[in-house]
């Protein structure tokens, strides 16, 4: 007998200690086999096992748009995911682009085991999960292998410093094939110094950039996520703008001169100067 939504809502929270903190899977009250993953109380991922094309979090929807626009619909991709979470975007690509080859690099081995056990991957999907530091794992990917590299790496709620530098972006550029793309989930709040520095840093490795985020985040009014997209080829800015504006939580896309003005002369980050992304304010994940 099919499980009702009411039954799914009654499921208990599943919790476990992982290498980098305390993991919780919170059942979705509206979707029968959907869960949100939290690490130390910070939301990381949302997964619907019945419909992996459903992307609940706004930043994941924007990354989904990026994946959709890398190549014509249905064409298999080669994707590197730096940061695993609950493997949401890898599941999405596997569902929308069958026969894609994907590599996930996640440093928290206990988290990988927890997610595999509780939210198993489709055994037919070509998804390899490697337990390693994101930068070290990236270093093992062959030159020009990836159509898309997605960086969504948070230690708790902060991106580690060594994944914010120009040297890191140089290795990303090595892995991205000609015409391929890099997308990063960045988190920042006023005065947006981290976000501006990351745009300047990406510009040292890629010619074309775009940034998608909630307008309130871009105006420095609140802490939130922004998706940075980079490539050596022209980006599909018009279509990305249309899709982001049509999301349940509409966003804005900046590019070209407007993005350069937004960056405001920020300097690129190097391994020597790199710092973790800012700690979110206490109320960032409430309400």
């Amino acid at each position: 007998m099919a499980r009702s939504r009411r039954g799914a809502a009654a499921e208990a929270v599943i919790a476990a200690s992982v290498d980098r903190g305390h993991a919780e899977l919170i059942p979705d009250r509206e979707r029968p086999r959907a869960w949100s993953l939290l690490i130390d109380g910070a939301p990381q991922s949302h997964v619907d096992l019945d419909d992996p094309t459903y992307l609940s979090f706004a930043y994941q929807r924007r990354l989904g748009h990026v994946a959709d626009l890398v190549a014509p619909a249905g064409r298999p991709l080669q994707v590197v995911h730096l940061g695993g979470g609950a493997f949401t975007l890898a599941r999405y690509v596997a569902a929308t682009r069958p026969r894609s080859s994907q590599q996930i690099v996640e440093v928290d081995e206990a988290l990988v085991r927890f997610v595999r056990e509780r939210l198993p991957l489709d055994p037919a999907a070509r998804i390899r999960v490697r337990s390693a530091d994101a930068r070290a794992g990236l270093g093992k990917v062959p030159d020009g292998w990836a159509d898309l590299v997605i960086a969504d790496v948070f230690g708790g709620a902060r991106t580690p410093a060594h994944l914010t530098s120009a040297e890191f972006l140089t290795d990303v550029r090595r892995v991205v094939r000609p015409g391929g793309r890099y997308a990063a989930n960045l988190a920042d709040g006023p005065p947006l110094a981290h976000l501006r520095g990351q745009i300047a840093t990406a510009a040292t490795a890629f010619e074309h950039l775009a940034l998608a985020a909630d307008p309130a985040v871009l105006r420095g009014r609140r802490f939130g996520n922004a998706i940075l997209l980079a490539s050596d080829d022209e980006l599909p800015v018009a279509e990305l703008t249309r899709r982001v504006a049509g999301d349940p939580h509409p966003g804005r896309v900046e590019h070209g001169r407007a993005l350069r003005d937004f960056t405001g002369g920020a300097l690129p980050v190097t391994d020597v100067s790199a710092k973790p992304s800012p700690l979110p304010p206490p109320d960032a994940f409430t309400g």
Side-chain angles (χ1 to χ4, degrees):
M1 182 175 181
R3 188 166 31 173
S4 69
R5 291 191 175 190
R6 181 179 301 173
E11 290 192 41
V13 172
I14 302 172
S17 294
V18 294
D19 296 339
R20 297 298 179 97
H22 181 72
E24 295 175 289
L25 286 173
I26 312 296
D28 188 323
R29 295 180 179 275
E30 301 298 325
R31 305 180 75 89
R33 296 180 67 227
W35 303 81
S36 291
L37 171 68
L38 280 65
I39 305 293
D40 291 338
Q44 301 288 322
S45 305
H46 179 280
V47 168
D48 187 334
L49 295 177
D50 288 334
D51 182 9
T53 67
Y54 176 75
L55 300 175
S56 175
F57 293 175
Y59 86 86
Q60 290 183 331
R61 287 184 63 87
R62 289 164 191 156
L63 286 171
H65 298 325
V66 169
D68 289 344
L69 296 173
V70 168
R75 199 199 87 182
L77 298 178
Q78 295 187 172
V79 185
V80 176
H81 302 264
L82 302 178
F87 315 151
T88 303
L89 266 297
R91 300 173 198 266
Y92 177 84
V93 171
T96 57
R97 296 177 178 272
R99 304 183 309 283
S100 291
S101 296
Q102 302 186 76
Q103 299 185 38
I104 298 172
V105 184
E106 169 57 56
V107 70
D108 194 323
E109 188 172 357
L111 177 62
V112 169
R113 291 195 300 268
F114 178 61
V115 171
R116 279 187 176 278
E117 178 183 353
R118 300 295 183 174
L119 306 175
L121 288 165
D122 180 350
R126 299 177 181 178
I127 300 173
R128 176 186 179 188
V129 185
R130 175 184 296 161
S131 296
D133 170 78
R135 190 157 163 181
L138 181 69
K140 296 182 183 299
V141 180
D143 293 3
W145 184 86
D147 295 294
L148 175 63
V149 173
I150 298 175
D152 185 12
V153 185
F154 288 86
R158 306 179 75 181
T159 301
H162 70 298
L163 303 178
T164 68
S165 70
E167 291 89 343
F168 166 66
L169 266 293
T170 296
D171 207 30
V172 170
R173 180 67 191 86
R174 175 189 64 79
V175 169
V176 175
R177 65 179 46 172
R181 291 171 194 158
Y182 168 67
N185 178 28
L186 308 173
D188 200 6
L192 300 178
H194 173 71
L195 184 56
R196 299 182 207 277
Q198 288 303 287
I199 298 167
T201 304
T204 66
F206 295 95
E207 183 177 355
H208 299 280
L209 306 177
L211 187 72
D214 186 298
V217 173
L218 292 174
R219 295 188 189 108
R221 293 181 179 175
R222 69 171 181 84
F223 191 96
N225 297 86
I227 300 303
L228 178 62
L229 179 60
S231 178
D232 277 344
D233 282 7
E234 291 281 351
L235 296 169
V237 172
E239 180 60 18
L240 179 64
T241 299
R242 186 187 70 79
R243 294 187 184 209
V244 169
D247 280 341
H249 299 285
R252 197 172 82 209
V253 175
E254 297 286 11
H255 66 102
R257 181 174 178 178
L259 186 58
R260 290 192 294 272
D261 290 345
F262 174 83
T263 307
L267 297 176
V269 176
T270 67
D271 279 342
V272 173
S273 63
K275 299 177 181 178
S277 65
L279 191 67
D283 61 349
F285 307 120
T286 62

